[in-house]
Amino acid sequence: ASVRLRLEGLPAQELALLQQRPSAPLGLADLLPLLRGNPALDLSELRLTTPRGEIAGHLRLGLNGMDPSAEPNLLLALTKLRGKVSLRLPEAILLQVLEQGARQSLVAADAAEMARQRVEAFVQNGWLAREGDQLRLDGRLESGRLTLNGRPLGLPLGIR
């Protein structure tokens, strides 16, 4: 297994203030100032080898275009959010995960069928693409528009 993860663009002054706080839980208002630096999360490599095959992917999610001098605003930040994700995994792994989850409320045969139906629905809806025995997800988030495998999806907040 290998994972490479990097955080960037977090304002040092705001981080220092958060570290000085007592161990009380942080609220959204405490975290909003971190948006000023256009932070980004970069999972540049995810690779996991299993007996059923390899899972591989990457993810980049960050803000682009936040004004560091402006008061942080969550709705504005959502319009500046940019992302890219890619994931590839053997279909057998997803079937196993879904089946195990379904077994908590169904008998084994029904759980296996439900898992197959769910994967097929994911493929039919374009959320996953099938390439032989592999499943693929490629997604982009830009200017409030989310696409999965080239197909646009609506965002729940109606951002454009």
Side-chain angles (χ1 to χ4, degrees), residues 15-26:
L15 281 174
L17 289 173
L18 285 177
Q19 289 174 341
Q20 293 172 3
R21 289 180 41 122
S23 61
L26 296 174

Side-chain angles (χ1 to χ4, degrees), residues 120-157:
E120 198 55 42
F122 294 156
V123 171
Q124 292 299 318
N125 289 321
W127 299 343
L128 294 172
R130 186 179 280 126
E131 297 173 346
D133 65 347
Q134 298 287 305
L135 296 173
R136 172 181 57 82
L137 178 140
D138 289 305
R140 295 184 71 81
L141 175 61
E142 195 165 342
S143 302
R145 297 180 194 268
L146 176 63
T147 59
L148 285 180
N149 300 319
R151 297 174 79 174
L153 296 178
L155 288 179
L157 295 177

Side-chain angles (χ1 to χ4, degrees), residues 7-160:
L7 288 171
E8 53 191 49
L10 294 171
Q13 181 180 1
E14 302 295 344
L15 281 174
L17 289 173
L18 285 177
Q19 289 174 341
Q20 293 172 3
R21 289 180 41 122
S23 61
L26 296 174
L28 183 58
D30 299 314
L31 299 176
L32 281 175
L34 295 176
L35 302 180
R36 287 188 175 118
N38 291 300
L41 170 72
D42 188 6
L43 177 62
S44 61
E45 179 184 2
L46 169 67
R47 196 166 304 279
L48 177 64
T49 303
T50 75
R52 293 182 179 254
E54 183 177 82
I55 299 171
H58 65 267
L59 166 75
R60 173 140 179 104
L61 187 63
L63 293 174
N64 188 3
M66 293 293 288
D67 180 354
S69 63
E71 188 64 30
N73 177 307
L74 184 58
L75 289 178
L76 176 63
L78 289 173
T79 66
K80 306 289 186 182
L81 192 60
R82 306 287 183 266
K84 187 175 181 182
V85 63
S86 177
L87 180 67
R88 302 206 175 2
L89 74 156
E91 186 170 346
I93 291 175
L94 183 57
L95 284 169
Q96 181 181 11
V97 168
L98 292 173
E99 185 177 337
Q100 286 173 347
R103 278 188 184 176
Q104 295 176 11
S105 59
L106 301 170
V107 296
D110 292 339
E113 180 58 27
M114 179 180 276
R116 281 190 290 279
Q117 288 175 1
R118 283 188 179 168
V119 169
E120 198 55 42
F122 294 156
V123 171
Q124 292 299 318
N125 289 321
W127 299 343
L128 294 172
R130 186 179 280 126
E131 297 173 346
D133 65 347
Q134 298 287 305
L135 296 173
R136 172 181 57 82
L137 178 140
D138 289 305
R140 295 184 71 81
L141 175 61
E142 195 165 342
S143 302
R145 297 180 194 268
L146 176 63
T147 59
L148 285 180
N149 300 319
R151 297 174 79 174
L153 296 178
L155 288 179
L157 295 177
I159 316 168
R160 292 239 178 246

